[in-house]
Amino acid sequence: MAAGNQTAVLEFSLEGFSEDPRLQGLLSSLFLLLYLVALVGNSLIVAAVSLSSVLHTPMYFFLVNLAILDIACTSTVLPKLLQGLVARANTISYRGCLAQLFFLTWFLGAELLLLTAMAFDRYVAICRPLHYGTMMSWPLCALLATTVWMVSAISTSVHTGLMARLTFCGPNRIQHFLCEIPTLLLLSCSPTALNSVMIVIADVYFGVVNFLLTLASYGCIVASVLRIRSAVGKRRAFSTCSSHLLVVILYYSTVIYTYVLPGSGTSMENGKVVAVLYTAISPALNPLIYTLRNKDVKAALWKVAPSSK
């Protein structure tokens, strides 16, 4: 794109939640709390798994990757959102907007892929327990994790590159508190047909295909658990995957609403609430979801933070 087209819009104006100063103060406190909880909770998960040899298993290896993604995802959005609420600076530069779009799309896509890998891990653990050690070897786990990060990085590079080719000549007001592909496309003065085609392809792969793979894994898990005669055995089997299933439901429902069913008008306001769920609430809740019913993680956390006893 020519230099003149690149500088047609030097910055974008982000749309906040409210102009009421009192409500902005309340929202600032809420988002700061969520951000700190997400940072501390996920950092403790990483530290606990890293320092406890008992947790050096494939399931917790993937959990560490999820915690890192949650930290990265919320750090891509919430600092800028807090700046807008506290300093009333609801603008973002053109390059800053593309950078936020790049990293947010990268981390969201990687998390969808990672949830599929975690579902496969639970499938092998419950349905093929005798082969778990060989099927979920460390080389395979490392390959899966690397693939998760690399595939999503390639995808977001394509989307960001296509976005950078578009001309933005006004208006420059984004109807959201962050830079996302659907809202930015609405402001483009250039044809967006190719962008739309690539979005559909990404939606099918990241959303539909991975969601179906995850459903298939849990379908096999449920069928296997129902064949267990012991009630204690059934509870134990379900407890190992219930946390992950809850995260899958929460995450997929919010991301699909944003990227598969983008809209306008009143749905834009709903989209802000949904975006808060996967950029702030979900990263803050995930450490709690994975630790409240997990004795091994709680024991490791006590060792990491002995002063909290």
Side-chain angles (χ1 to χ4, degrees):
M1 184 167 62
N5 289 336
Q6 286 182 332
T7 57
V9 169
L10 296 178
E11 65 179 17
F12 293 100
S13 175
L14 298 172
E15 191 173 275
F17 289 91
S18 172
E19 299 298 329
D20 187 341
R22 290 174 298 179
L23 184 56
Q24 286 186 337
L26 178 62
L27 290 173
S28 299
S29 302
L30 175 61
F31 286 125
L32 178 60
L33 176 62
L34 288 172
Y35 186 45
L36 293 177
V37 170
L39 287 181
V40 173
N42 286 289
S43 297
L44 285 175
I45 291 271
V46 174
V49 174
S50 301
L51 298 177
S52 177
S53 59
V54 178
L55 302 182
H56 290 175
T57 65
M59 181 176 73
Y60 296 110
F61 169 73
F62 291 127
L63 183 57
V64 166
N65 278 267
L66 181 64
I68 294 173
L69 281 171
D70 281 339
I71 292 173
C73 181
T74 194
S75 296
T76 301
V77 175
L78 289 195
K80 182 61 182 177
L81 176 59
L82 287 170
Q83 179 189 15
L85 290 170
V86 175
R88 309 290 196 273
N90 287 326
T91 59
I92 185 170
S93 68
Y94 172 82
R95 293 181 181 275
C97 188
L98 288 185
Q100 187 182 67
L101 181 147
F102 175 87
F103 287 108
L104 181 61
T105 308
W106 182 14
F107 302 139
L108 291 179
E111 193 150 344
L112 290 174
L113 295 176
L114 183 62
L115 291 176
T116 303
M118 294 174 75
F120 176 72
D121 171 71
R122 292 300 82 207
Y123 158 75
V124 177
I126 295 176
C127 301
R128 307 287 296 276
L130 298 180
H131 303 281
Y132 184 75
T134 55
M135 292 183 67
M136 297 304 297
S137 62
W138 281 113
L140 177 60
C141 291
L143 177 62
L144 285 174
T146 302
T147 302
V148 162
W149 287 88
M150 292 302 298
V151 169
S152 186
I154 293 172
S155 175
T156 191
S157 297
V158 171
H159 286 297
T160 307
L162 289 174
M163 190 67 68
R165 295 175 66 251
L166 299 179
T167 301
F168 297 92
C169 53
N172 69 335
R173 184 172 181 81
I174 298 175
Q175 296 181 351
H176 214 312
F177 63 85
L178 50 79
C179 293
E180 283 186 321
I181 295 174
T183 50
L184 269 182
L185 288 181
L186 296 176
L187 303 180
S188 173
C189 302
S190 306
T192 59
L194 181 58
N195 298 72
S196 299
V197 170
M198 295 307 299
I199 289 174
V200 171
I201 294 174
D203 286 345
V204 170
Y205 175 67
F206 285 95
V208 179
V209 173
N210 282 278
F211 185 62
L212 291 177
L213 289 174
T214 302
L215 283 182
S217 296
Y218 274 99
C220 295
I221 289 172
V222 171
S224 179
V225 170
L226 291 178
R227 288 196 294 267
I228 300 176
R229 296 182 178 180
S230 168
V232 175
K234 288 182 179 180
R235 286 196 299 269
R236 185 178 303 165
F238 272 124
S239 67
T240 63
C241 59
S242 58
S243 299
H244 177 252
L245 184 58
L246 179 59
V247 172
V248 166
I249 294 173
L250 175 63
Y251 199 77
Y252 267 100
S253 61
T254 56
V255 172
I256 288 176
Y257 181 93
T258 300
Y259 289 93
V260 180
L261 302 172
S264 58
T266 57
S267 63
M268 285 295 183
E269 294 300 320
N270 297 335
K272 292 181 185 179
V273 177
V274 171
V276 169
L277 288 176
Y278 64 77
T279 60
I281 296 179
S282 181
L285 287 182
N286 282 351
L288 298 176
I289 293 173
Y290 279 106
T291 59
L292 286 179
R293 298 180 61 187
N294 192 310
K295 296 180 180 179
D296 292 333
V297 175
K298 286 191 286 188
L301 287 175
W302 283 119
K303 295 178 181 178
V304 171
S307 60
S308 62
K309 292 184 179 180

